[in-house]
Amino acid sequence: MDDILTEVEKNIKRFVVNEFGTNCYIYKDSDTNESIVIDPGGKEKQIIDFIKTNNLTLKYIILTHCHYDHILALDKIIEDFNVPVIIHMDEYQSIMDDAINLSLYFGSPISNKLTNINWLKVKDMDIVKLGNQNIYILHTPGHTKGSICLYIKDKFLFTGDTLFCGSVGRTDFPTGDIEQIDESLKRIIFLPANIIFFPGHGEPCIVGEEKSHNPFLKIL
């Protein structure tokens, strides 16, 4: 696992960005230095400084879902890098509703900061081009209705809050659905067993190992 991670993580930088332990990732195409930011939930200065220090060309920000802890630094990064923000088409209305994106409950309504963003709304199996790579959008509803995973074919997967090491995403938030997340998880576990996934919270794991060890997957 360590050797595999070392090879894969050459192009992935992880920031744990807030008190919720949310992971923000920067992923770059090594041939072109084009990059994406996934789920900027805080620590905007560190994220911005890393992009500039490493001479990365930020092409997109991608949101796996709408929740407050994954978008808190979005507006600040947009101020520095006026790039499109990718979100699933079913999640756009949710991110603009402070009760659904949960920011209302933390006393920091955020939707008014998101109105001038260049949104790119995607659907299942759309392809996002990053340098010489294809990033496949997998619609994986359940944690929220517009949750997505990002799949770099035969390499790795960013799972947001759909799948964690040893656990899965909650379904008791607005637009969550336990039956939908079960169907989404079935989709993930049929990916190649050697795929490494990078979750929205916690450490990376391997899909094949989760099939054996994750109690929420054993019952599927």
Side-chain angles (χ1 to χ4, degrees), residues 166-181:
S167 188
V168 299
R170 294 173 58 167
T171 58
D172 57 341
F173 290 129
T175 81
D177 187 299
I178 192 168
E179 292 182 359
Q180 285 188 334
I181 205 168

Side-chain angles (χ1 to χ4, degrees), residues 16-24 37-45 47-48 61-79 85 95 98 101-114 117 119 201:
V16 181
V17 292
N18 53 44
E19 66 270 28
F20 306 103
T22 305
N23 292 325
C24 170
V37 170
I38 303 168
D39 291 351
K43 292 190 177 177
E44 60 271 11
K45 184 179 187 306
I47 295 167
I48 291 167
I61 298 169
I62 304 182
L63 305 179
T64 63
H65 63 292
C66 71
H67 285 159
Y68 178 70
D69 61 315
H70 291 254
I71 64 173
L72 185 57
L74 178 58
D75 61 314
K76 298 296 184 183
I77 295 175
I78 289 293
E79 287 178 7
V85 178
I95 204 170
D98 291 322
N101 71 37
L102 306 180
S103 64
L104 182 66
Y105 305 107
F106 293 95
S108 303
I110 199 171
S111 61
N112 64 323
K113 299 178 181 180
L114 308 178
I117 288 173
W119 295 99
H201 303 264

Side-chain angles (χ1 to χ4, degrees), residues 136-140 147-151 157-160 162 188:
Y136 292 86
I137 302 295
L138 303 184
H139 183 207
T140 51
S147 287
I148 58 173
C149 295
L150 310 176
Y151 182 40
L157 182 74
F158 297 97
T159 57
T162 297
I188 292 173

Side-chain angles (χ1 to χ4, degrees), residues 7-198:
E7 181 63 28
V8 169
E9 289 183 326
K10 287 178 181 178
N11 296 324
I12 298 173
K13 173 66 176 177
R14 176 172 70 122
F15 297 87
V16 181
V17 292
N18 53 44
E19 66 270 28
F20 306 103
T22 305
N23 292 325
C24 170
Y25 298 99
I26 298 176
Y27 173 60
K28 74 169 184 177
D29 174 70
S30 56
D31 293 330
T32 63
N33 260 16
E34 287 187 352
S35 64
I36 56 173
V37 170
I38 303 168
D39 291 351
K43 292 190 177 177
E44 60 271 11
K45 184 179 187 306
Q46 290 93 324
I47 295 167
I48 291 167
D49 288 349
F50 183 87
I51 294 168
K52 292 180 176 179
T53 300
N54 290 277
N55 297 311
L56 302 179
T57 301
L58 185 62
K59 191 170 183 183
Y60 301 110
I61 298 169
I62 304 182
L63 305 179
T64 63
H65 63 292
C66 71
H67 285 159
Y68 178 70
D69 61 315
H70 291 254
I71 64 173
L72 185 57
L74 178 58
D75 61 314
K76 298 296 184 183
I77 295 175
I78 289 293
E79 287 178 7
D80 267 70
F81 304 99
N82 186 22
V83 297
V85 178
I86 293 174
I87 192 169
H88 191 272
M89 58 191 304
D90 290 346
E91 200 76 347
Y92 177 72
Q93 292 300 323
S94 296
I95 204 170
M96 292 302 180
D97 185 323
D98 291 322
I100 298 178
N101 71 37
L102 306 180
S103 64
L104 182 66
Y105 305 107
F106 293 95
S108 303
I110 199 171
S111 61
N112 64 323
K113 299 178 181 180
L114 308 178
T115 55
N116 294 322
I117 288 173
N118 178 15
W119 295 99
L120 291 182
K121 300 166 193 173
V122 294
K123 62 184 184 302
D124 187 50
M125 292 307 295
D126 277 353
I127 294 173
V128 176
K129 298 289 292 187
L130 185 71
N132 299 316
Q133 300 187 65
N134 291 331
I135 300 174
Y136 292 86
I137 302 295
L138 303 184
H139 183 207
T140 51
H143 181 62
T144 66
K145 68 178 181 179
S147 287
I148 58 173
C149 295
L150 310 176
Y151 182 40
I152 292 80
K153 193 172 183 180
D154 299 327
K155 293 183 179 179
F156 48 89
L157 182 74
F158 297 97
T159 57
D161 284 6
T162 297
L163 176 64
F164 309 120
C165 295
S167 188
V168 299
R170 294 173 58 167
T171 58
D172 57 341
F173 290 129
T175 81
D177 187 299
I178 192 168
E179 292 182 359
Q180 285 188 334
I181 205 168
D182 283 348
E183 292 303 310
S184 295
L185 292 167
K186 287 176 186 177
R187 188 176 189 187
I188 292 173
I189 63 176
F190 282 107
L191 294 175
N194 64 341
I195 294 295
I196 299 172
F197 68 90
F198 294 83

